Amino acid sequence: MYTQGLDSLGKESVHVGSADTAALEARFQGRVDADDKIEPKDWMPDAYRHTLIRQISQHAHSEIVGMLPEGNWITRAPTLRRKAVLIAKVQDEGGHGMYLYSAAETLGISRQQMLEQLLGGSAKYSSIFNYPTLTWADVGTIGWLVDGAAIMNQIPICRCSYGPYARAMVRICKEESFHQRQGFEIMLALARGTAQQRAMAQDALNRWWWPSIMMFGPSDTDSKHTAQSMRWKIKRFSNDELRQKFIDITVPQAQFLGLAIPDPELRWDEAAEHYRFGAIDWSEFQAVVRGDGPCNRERLGARVRAHADGEWVREAAAAHADKQRARAAAQAA
């Protein structure tokens, strides 16, 4: 629904000379400051367009690659109910990717280009999906921590300045909130189970805690890129602000479960009303981003194989579309 009529630009975008650029930029920033939504045919700075393409496409890639760690457990989920819920969740993630690819296409990049960037390794996706899911507790921890961190990141995007992205995020955040509750419910069942199940839950928390808080990225309070994104209202909070909010909300949840956060320096700061936490090992984060994480090659290899295996489906769909167009043309003649 986002791509109709995008073969033609709005009149503001036609024959814009350098003398008009400053006025257009001022008008654009005025609309952003007034919390108006920027729409696909509206004039926008090239840097704004490119920033959105990078952010939305990486977000879409993350949703698609994010299907893999949990999809691995569909056939091994402990009950039929757990299988059905997990299937629904993985299906949701695929849908999120499609919404986001559609939103990115409104900015002038094709889905084929975005997929080529992902499969060729030039596009990034969230580092969190390069960690293995070793036990069933990992599925619960992903829902609780990873989707919880994603919600913290994504709810502000519902109010971002670009209309198609903001609208896509409304439904995505509603579905992610279900995923987070589903993960917490798994962890609650394990925490209230046998000693072995509680140990499994604690082990998963130990392995996923630090990668989860790394999801927000390194400190960016002094980053020019972040400052620009916040001025354009693509991003409304810094990485550190979002990470702190996530920790403040999540630590009491772990306490309710009876699980220990694997950070000996974690403490409540009464004066600041925040949890203080230990130093993050950013060398691990950078290694995963570079492609040296536990499952980087496995994840990308799985996407490449899936794309190749689905070639016949794409060819059949294209042939069917050609046949439908030919039939419509014949009837109109």
Side-chain angles (χ1 to χ4, degrees):
M1 67 181 186
Y2 285 123
T3 55
Q4 290 179 324
L6 293 178
D7 54 337
S8 58
L9 297 173
K11 60 182 180 181
E12 284 182 335
S13 301
V14 180
H15 304 304
V16 174
S18 57
D20 300 319
T21 301
L24 287 170
E25 287 182 346
R27 180 181 175 185
F28 168 85
Q29 189 62 48
R31 292 185 60 192
V32 170
D33 292 342
D35 282 328
D36 288 345
K37 288 288 182 279
I38 305 301
E39 299 297 341
K41 287 189 177 183
D42 295 338
W43 184 90
M44 63 188 74
D46 287 341
Y48 177 82
R49 184 186 302 274
H50 295 153
T51 297
L52 279 168
I53 288 174
R54 178 182 57 81
Q55 179 170 331
I56 299 173
S57 64
Q58 288 184 9
H59 192 165
H61 299 329
S62 298
E63 298 284 357
I64 297 300
V65 176
M67 300 165 67
L68 297 172
E70 293 172 298
N72 181 44
W73 275 91
I74 289 174
T75 59
R76 296 182 289 164
T79 67
L80 183 59
R81 173 179 172 271
R82 296 292 189 193
K83 285 180 171 64
V85 173
L86 188 55
I87 288 171
K89 181 185 178 184
V90 172
Q91 184 178 32
D92 283 349
E93 305 294 5
H96 297 172
M98 296 304 104
Y99 303 152
L100 293 165
Y101 283 133
S102 294
E105 285 178 311
T106 67
L107 293 159
I109 186 172
S110 71
R111 190 168 307 195
Q112 181 177 349
Q113 287 175 288
M114 289 184 279
L115 290 174
E116 287 174 353
Q117 291 169 357
L118 171 64
L119 300 176
S122 63
K124 302 295 184 183
Y125 56 86
S126 179
S127 61
I128 195 70
F129 299 120
N130 290 311
Y131 289 87
T133 45
L134 304 180
T135 70
W136 173 247
D138 289 40
V139 175
T141 306
I142 288 174
W144 172 36
L145 296 183
V146 175
D147 293 328
I151 292 168
M152 201 67 66
N153 262 317
Q154 293 171 8
I155 285 178
I157 301 175
C158 296
R159 298 187 295 116
C160 80
S161 58
Y162 190 57
Y165 195 18
R167 290 189 288 272
M169 290 311 304
V170 172
R171 176 166 179 171
I172 289 173
C173 286
K174 288 179 180 178
E175 293 178 349
E176 291 290 0
S177 67
F178 158 74
H179 300 165
Q180 194 272 344
R181 292 195 296 272
Q182 174 248 354
F184 188 82
E185 194 267 338
I186 291 175
M187 296 301 285
L188 183 61
L190 293 172
R192 291 179 174 177
T194 65
Q196 184 179 13
Q197 288 171 325
R198 290 193 297 273
M200 183 192 302
Q202 182 64 60
D203 175 66
L205 173 57
N206 292 346
R207 287 183 287 106
W208 286 92
W209 173 252
W210 292 104
S212 294
I213 63 174
M214 290 179 198
M215 283 178 66
F216 298 95
S219 178
D220 60 5
T221 51
D222 299 322
S223 166
K224 291 182 180 179
H225 174 76
T226 297
Q228 185 72 289
S229 292
M230 293 179 76
R231 186 167 73 88
W232 287 332
K233 297 188 180 179
I234 298 173
K235 184 172 186 174
R236 289 178 176 262
F237 301 95
S238 73
N239 293 346
D240 291 324
E241 288 173 323
L242 292 170
R243 182 174 14 256
Q244 185 66 65
K245 186 175 182 180
F246 172 74
I247 291 172
D248 289 344
I249 288 174
T250 306
V251 171
Q253 294 173 351
Q255 293 170 344
F256 178 82
L257 293 172
L259 301 177
I261 299 292
D263 180 358
E265 298 181 42
L266 184 73
R267 62 179 178 82
W268 175 250
D269 185 332
E270 190 68 39
E273 296 187 338
H274 289 301
Y275 281 96
R276 300 306 182 191
F277 53 94
I280 299 172
D281 181 8
W282 289 113
S283 62
E284 176 185 341
F285 175 81
Q286 296 297 342
V288 177
V289 169
R290 287 196 307 269
D292 296 325
C295 296
N296 287 65
R297 293 169 183 80
E298 177 185 338
R299 299 287 185 249
L300 190 55
R303 289 308 313 153
V304 170
R305 288 192 300 274
H307 188 75
D309 292 345
E311 183 175 1
W312 70 272
V313 178
R314 296 190 296 276
E315 290 177 349
H320 178 71
D322 290 341
K323 185 181 295 185
Q324 293 292 94
R325 281 192 294 269
R327 183 176 298 154
Q331 290 174 349

